[in-house]
Amino acid sequence: MVANASFAAALIVGFALLFAVTAESPYRFFEWNVTYGDIYPLGVRQQGILINGQFPGPDIHSVTNDNLIINVYNSLDEPFLLSWNGVQQRRNSYVDGVYGTTCPIPPGKNYTYILQVKDQIGSFYYFPSLAFHKAAGGFGGLRILSRPGIPVPFADPAGDYTVLIGDWYKANHTDLKAQLDSGRKLPLPDGILINGRGSGATLNVEQGKTYRLRISNIGLQHSLNFRIQNHKMKVVEVEGTHTLQTTFSSLDVHVGQSYSVLVTADQPAQDYYVVVSSRFTSDVLTTTGVLRYSGSAGGVSGPIPGGPTIQIDWSLNQARAIRTNLTASGPRPNPQGSYHYGMINTTRTIRLASSAGQVNGKQRYAVNSVSFNPADTPLKLADYFKIDGVYRVGSIQSQPTGGGIYLDTSVMQTDYRTFIEIVFENSEDIVQSWHLDGYSFWVVGMDGGQWTPDSRNEYNLRDAVARCTVQVYPSSWTAIYIALDNVGMWNLRSEFWARQYLGQQFYLRVYTTSTSLRDEYPIPKNALLCGRASGRSTRPL
């Protein structure tokens, strides 16, 4: 580990010289060892993925513009890769940590991620992106605090908790992966976890004080509803955007999404249920934790507070109520509403339709009829080394084809510095969730039925929330606007992990002919090389 740390230190010097990283952007160092270990989240022994012996993994605490130096040693018996949900990797998709951009860490080897949380604030998480590892652990919270002196639109809370919620299976991830590889669907999950526990997770509070909860749904499939007995929650931040401070008694958190809420301990000093339950499922999965007051006079009591179950309108209306606080500062000391996205003309509309079906007798999922088939070499490396035949630009259409599902390494090209509209169309009877790496986008509209150009008449062009993961309700559509200001190869995927694994994803290639460092960094000197890029050299330090 000492040698690894020395190597990381040398890399830092090189990066600082190359990119002229300013002195006020500090470095934070992390040494992580990824291992298998026994875990018992639902009361039965499973093989979990631990980071430094922890399940879930350690929190990452950072400040806007910090440089994160994360040395990951892979002690598993198979390749491993971490991705950073919501971290935009400005000009540096090489370290995004998905297979289209980054080679896996071989067993017994290490890799040092060098990330900068450039011009970001907010609540996010990290997770393992390969081989259905996400069903075994390896995930944790990631928070980016505002720099000192930049105002935050609420008082400092008395405490700041990461709350990771998600559905869970008792089966090992290897068994779940084998089911998918054999062409079968996964059954209903066995339960729900709060911070890695099927029951008993505890949040400690003191009467009269206010606390921030950073809630992330790191699960595999289901939208979840979060609530606390006898307490209200005030939503204040969504994936890096300060929001209008709207109060709810319960909150829908769809797969892959993150919210910050403020909770005031304004009840008598005792224990209260923290409840998480599945949404839009015929069989409702529920788990409970405890909000424990200091000096609690007794344990939890009374009925577990109920929540919404299958009501779509309730969730849709809540989603529409979550809007940007235009007067709050973001990562920089200027109002979030100073960029008037609603006054910019879009230059392209991309419509994306999901589908499910059989290919060669096996279950597959697709976007615009294409089910993603991983290439033998990361796509970003194929671009850098000009390796032909790894993928075809335009291997996925920008409009639904209506045809049957087929396999391809789907890459859609877009132009740098354009402003585009993407419409997600869901003709299925499930709530879907979509994530785009490298970006935050404005959620300008969502509604039932079929999207048409006339649907734009109901768009929110004033204070739509900006985020990186968005839901699409059954037989409905959701529209987003994106300013394509981040060159790279970016994964656009379903957050339903079985669907992502079986093809419901593609890569958005944000392209420019420029070779300026102002537009994109060169390949990291320490980049792992694999596939047809093996044996090549990166660049001088």
Side-chain angles (χ1 to χ4, degrees):
M1 289 295 186
V2 173
N4 293 335
S6 300
F7 178 58
L11 284 170
I12 294 161
V13 174
F15 268 69
L17 290 172
L18 182 60
F19 302 135
V21 176
T22 55
E24 64 268 18
S25 300
Y27 291 89
R28 298 180 187 269
F29 296 86
F30 303 85
E31 287 275 338
W32 285 359
N33 187 25
V34 179
T35 61
Y36 288 127
D38 289 342
I39 57 174
Y40 301 81
L42 293 178
V44 299
R45 183 166 64 90
Q46 295 177 254
Q47 183 188 67
I49 293 178
L50 314 180
I51 298 179
N52 292 351
Q54 299 179 41
F55 170 78
D59 266 10
I60 293 177
H61 293 191
S62 62
V63 176
T64 301
N65 293 347
D66 278 358
N67 297 281
L68 308 182
I69 314 301
I70 307 169
N71 183 30
V72 179
Y73 194 89
N74 178 15
S75 294
L76 307 183
D77 58 2
E78 57 184 330
F80 184 77
L81 196 56
L82 282 174
S83 191
W84 320 89
N85 213 70
V87 177
Q88 292 177 14
Q89 316 292 3
R90 304 295 301 177
R91 297 182 282 174
N92 196 17
S93 63
Y94 292 103
V95 294
D96 195 35
V98 289
Y99 185 65
T101 63
T102 314
C103 288
I105 308 170
K109 303 295 184 180
N110 76 297
Y111 176 66
T112 302
Y113 289 89
I114 301 176
L115 319 174
Q116 188 180 25
V117 288
K118 179 69 174 171
D119 286 338
Q120 285 191 263
I121 58 168
S123 308
F124 308 99
Y125 65 90
Y126 61 88
F127 69 97
S129 61
L130 294 181
F132 224 65
H133 287 152
K134 192 180 180 188
F139 44 71
L142 193 161
R143 65 183 66 172
I144 309 172
L145 304 177
S146 295
R147 288 178 291 169
I150 295 183
V152 174
F154 49 88
D156 286 343
D160 194 332
Y161 289 109
T162 293
V163 182
L164 303 177
I165 60 176
D167 49 15
W168 193 258
Y169 289 89
K170 293 179 180 178
N172 286 342
H173 77 281
T174 50
D175 296 331
L176 298 174
K177 177 178 175 293
Q179 287 187 52
L180 295 174
D181 289 342
S182 69
R184 293 174 289 161
K185 297 180 181 180
L186 296 183
L188 185 73
D190 296 301
I192 296 171
L193 306 187
I194 303 175
N195 286 345
R197 303 184 62 170
S199 63
T202 301
L203 304 174
N204 295 307
V205 299
E206 293 186 24
Q207 196 172 40
K209 295 184 177 180
T210 297
Y211 296 82
R212 182 175 185 171
L213 309 185
R214 299 174 186 264
I215 307 165
S216 294
N217 184 343
I218 48 79
L220 300 172
Q221 179 174 344
H222 288 303
S223 301
L224 299 175
N225 182 266
F226 182 92
R227 53 199 182 272
I228 302 174
Q229 184 182 23
N230 295 354
H231 290 73
K232 300 290 188 181
M233 296 177 290
K234 184 184 293 183
V235 175
V236 294
E237 177 256 329
V238 174
E239 294 160 19
T241 299
H242 291 307
T243 63
L244 294 179
Q245 297 182 10
T246 307
T247 299
F248 300 103
S249 57
S250 71
L251 181 66
D252 276 357
V253 186
H254 304 278
V255 185
Q257 292 186 339
S258 298
Y259 286 85
S260 279
V261 301
L262 298 181
V263 176
T264 300
D266 56 3
Q267 298 298 307
Q270 60 184 56
D271 291 358
Y272 297 88
Y273 285 112
V274 175
V275 187
V276 182
S277 58
S278 61
R279 291 283 271 124
F280 320 114
T281 57
S282 53
D283 297 322
V284 178
L285 299 172
T286 302
T287 192
T288 61
V290 177
L291 184 76
R292 176 160 294 152
Y293 278 62
S294 177
S296 172
V300 290
S301 62
I304 295 173
T309 53
I310 60 172
Q311 301 96 320
I312 298 293
D313 286 349
W314 186 95
S315 187
L316 177 61
N317 289 334
Q318 182 177 76
R320 287 171 169 165
I322 297 171
R323 296 177 291 152
T324 296
N325 182 345
L326 297 178
T327 63
S329 293
R332 301 187 182 197
N334 56 282
Q336 295 183 130
S338 60
Y339 186 99
H340 297 292
Y341 71 93
M343 299 176 68
I344 303 172
N345 292 326
T346 57
T347 58
R348 181 181 181 185
T349 295
I350 297 170
R351 292 170 49 218
L352 302 175
S354 66
S355 57
Q358 299 275 313
V359 177
N360 299 325
K362 292 186 176 182
Q363 182 66 43
R364 297 293 298 189
Y365 299 93
V367 187
N368 287 0
S369 300
V370 187
S371 186
F372 185 81
N373 195 33
D376 59 7
T377 304
L379 313 179
K380 188 62 182 172
L381 297 187
D383 265 4
Y384 180 79
F385 292 114
K386 297 180 170 55
I387 303 172
D388 293 332
V390 174
Y391 73 90
R392 295 180 300 110
V393 170
S395 45
I396 177 173
Q397 300 300 308
S398 59
Q399 308 291 320
T401 67
I405 294 175
Y406 62 95
L407 305 181
D408 205 341
T409 304
S410 36
V411 176
M412 185 184 298
Q413 181 141 314
T414 53
D415 292 330
Y416 181 44
R417 290 180 175 162
T418 56
F419 192 76
I420 69 169
E421 172 187 44
I422 296 180
V423 181
F424 298 97
E425 300 179 357
N426 177 12
S427 62
E428 301 181 71
D429 61 358
I430 60 169
V431 177
Q432 299 182 343
S433 190
W434 292 92
H435 175 88
L436 175 60
D437 284 351
Y439 284 93
S440 183
F441 47 72
W442 290 274
V443 184
V444 293
M446 54 176 64
D447 206 352
Q450 183 69 38
W451 181 89
T452 69
D454 289 340
S455 302
R456 297 186 180 114
N457 295 331
E458 62 184 76
Y459 282 4
N460 177 358
L461 299 182
R462 181 177 182 272
D463 60 356
V465 71
R467 63 187 317 164
C468 58
T469 309
V470 69
Q471 72 273 25
V472 191
Y473 293 101
S475 302
S476 299
W477 57 266
T478 293
I480 64 174
Y481 280 176
I482 312 174
L484 294 177
D485 59 356
N486 194 14
V487 174
M489 186 77 72
W490 302 109
N491 189 228
L492 198 161
R493 62 177 177 266
S494 170
E495 286 287 342
F496 283 32
W497 216 239
R499 285 178 168 247
Q500 177 273 155
Y501 182 78
L502 294 179
Q504 203 158 74
Q505 59 170 307
F506 68 94
Y507 282 83
L508 199 67
R509 184 181 189 239
V510 181
Y511 180 73
T512 178
T513 57
S514 168
T515 57
S516 170
L517 295 180
R518 291 175 298 178
D519 296 321
E520 186 176 25
Y521 293 157
I523 189 171
K525 172 63 180 173
N526 71 325
L528 297 173
L529 301 179
C530 56
R532 283 186 259 173
S534 297
R536 300 178 183 240
S537 59
T538 52
R539 57 180 175 79
L541 184 59

